[in-house]
Amino acid sequence: TLNSKKVISRKNILEFLDDVIYKNTDNLKINSKLVLYDLKDKNLTIPRKFKITQNQNKIVGKNLIYDTQNKQIYAKKVKLWYLEN
């Protein structure tokens, strides 16, 4: 699911603004102020700061692309906190 306070539609791109939260069935949660969703490719693009959490693990960084179909994340300037169970 992808939620925000405001959404703007521009051709094949949905622009989610203000307190954007993405959650999937793998307990992955992505937070940012801006998320672009490509309706054709089904990719999330975050051109700003983001925070990802999954269980107790956390990643923060800038500039992210999340391939929702293959569940692959490409990100820049990241810091990771990984806690083993």
Side-chain angles (χ1 to χ4, degrees):
T1 61
L2 190 54
N3 297 300
S4 69
K5 292 183 179 179
K6 185 177 180 181
V7 179
I8 299 170
S9 178
R10 300 176 196 267
K11 296 187 181 181
N12 287 332
I13 303 292
L14 296 178
E15 187 174 330
F16 290 81
L17 303 159
D18 300 328
D19 297 325
V20 185
I21 300 172
Y22 169 81
K23 293 181 184 177
N24 73 8
T25 56
D26 294 325
N27 203 30
L28 181 79
K29 182 177 175 183
I30 302 173
N31 296 75
S32 186
K33 296 287 182 190
L34 170 67
V35 174
L36 306 174
Y37 181 70
D38 188 317
L39 295 168
K40 182 180 175 187
D41 297 336
K42 300 193 179 354
N43 288 340
L44 297 176
T45 301
I46 301 174
R48 296 187 181 171
K49 292 181 182 179
F50 65 85
K51 179 173 82 172
I52 299 173
T53 54
Q54 186 173 35
N55 303 318
Q56 298 175 347
N57 304 310
K58 181 170 87 170
I59 300 171
V60 295
K62 294 181 181 177
N63 300 322
L64 173 139
I65 296 173
Y66 178 48
D67 179 342
T68 62
Q69 293 179 337
N70 296 309
K71 297 184 179 182
Q72 294 181 334
I73 295 173
Y74 307 92
K76 294 181 181 178
K77 298 182 182 179
V78 298
K79 293 181 181 178
L80 168 68
W81 292 265
Y82 180 77
L83 302 172
E84 291 188 51
N85 293 332

